[in-house]
Amino acid sequence: MYKELIISVIILIFIFGLNYITQENTDYTVDLISQKLEILRKNILEDQTNREQIIKHSNEVYDKWEELDDKMAFYIEHDELEKVKTALTSIKSFIEVEEYSQSVEEIDKCAYILDHIHEREMISWDNIF
């Protein structure tokens, strides 16, 4: 009787511990990429004449996502991660051809997808039931 109870408690601690780790990683990644996207959005809206800096910043955002995406692929649906990567690729493409209005739309879309991933992975009553 006690052996089953101890095993159950150990399993629960393990599950909650892993959930805490994955939640922290998701929070960090979503916050970092969202901040970088917001800075990129402000750069595009305020100063479109500095094309090289905007391209450099969009490449940095894309590269940072590529770096952090690998860890998140272990526990988040690949479809959600692909949506973010597609949006980031579109952002880079629109910036390279100087379609800044469409790039801002893609930045907003990407921020929405990141928000959705964050809310979906968070422990809440809505996600449990």
Side-chain angles (χ1 to χ4, degrees):
M1 173 69 179
Y2 291 114
K3 192 188 304 184
E4 292 86 6
L5 181 64
I6 292 173
I7 290 172
S8 298
V9 169
I10 290 172
I11 289 173
L12 282 174
I13 291 171
F14 182 72
I15 288 172
F16 284 114
L18 279 179
N19 187 33
Y20 176 77
I21 292 169
T22 58
Q23 185 64 42
E24 287 297 314
N25 187 47
T26 303
D27 290 345
Y28 171 75
T29 302
V30 168
D31 289 342
L32 182 68
I33 298 299
S34 294
Q35 289 172 0
K36 288 186 176 289
L37 285 173
E38 187 59 33
I39 292 169
L40 178 62
R41 186 176 195 278
K42 285 181 183 177
N43 286 343
I44 290 172
L45 293 175
E46 292 174 0
D47 185 23
Q48 295 179 1
T49 58
N50 198 347
R51 183 174 182 263
E52 290 80 25
Q53 182 183 4
I54 293 173
I55 289 173
K56 180 183 173 194
H57 193 73
S58 70
N59 288 334
E60 287 174 6
V61 173
Y62 185 84
D63 293 340
K64 193 64 174 176
W65 174 256
E66 285 290 313
E67 177 185 323
L68 298 172
D69 176 44
D70 295 335
K71 292 178 186 175
M72 291 178 64
F74 288 117
Y75 59 92
I76 292 181
E77 290 182 33
H78 295 288
D79 183 46
E80 298 291 326
L81 300 176
E82 254 334 283
K83 289 177 186 176
V84 174
K85 186 173 183 177
T86 302
L88 290 173
T89 303
S90 297
I91 292 167
K92 277 179 55 175
S93 300
F94 287 135
I95 288 173
E96 288 174 359
V97 296
E98 297 183 24
E99 291 290 334
Y100 296 120
S101 62
Q102 290 180 338
S103 66
V104 170
E105 289 177 20
E106 284 296 320
I107 289 171
D108 293 340
K109 178 181 170 183
C110 188
Y112 176 79
I113 295 168
L114 286 169
D115 236 10
H116 173 70
I117 290 172
H118 182 260
E119 289 176 12
R120 189 169 184 215
E121 295 300 317
M122 188 171 44
I123 290 186
S124 66
W125 288 112
D126 293 335
N127 290 344
I128 292 174
F129 297 109

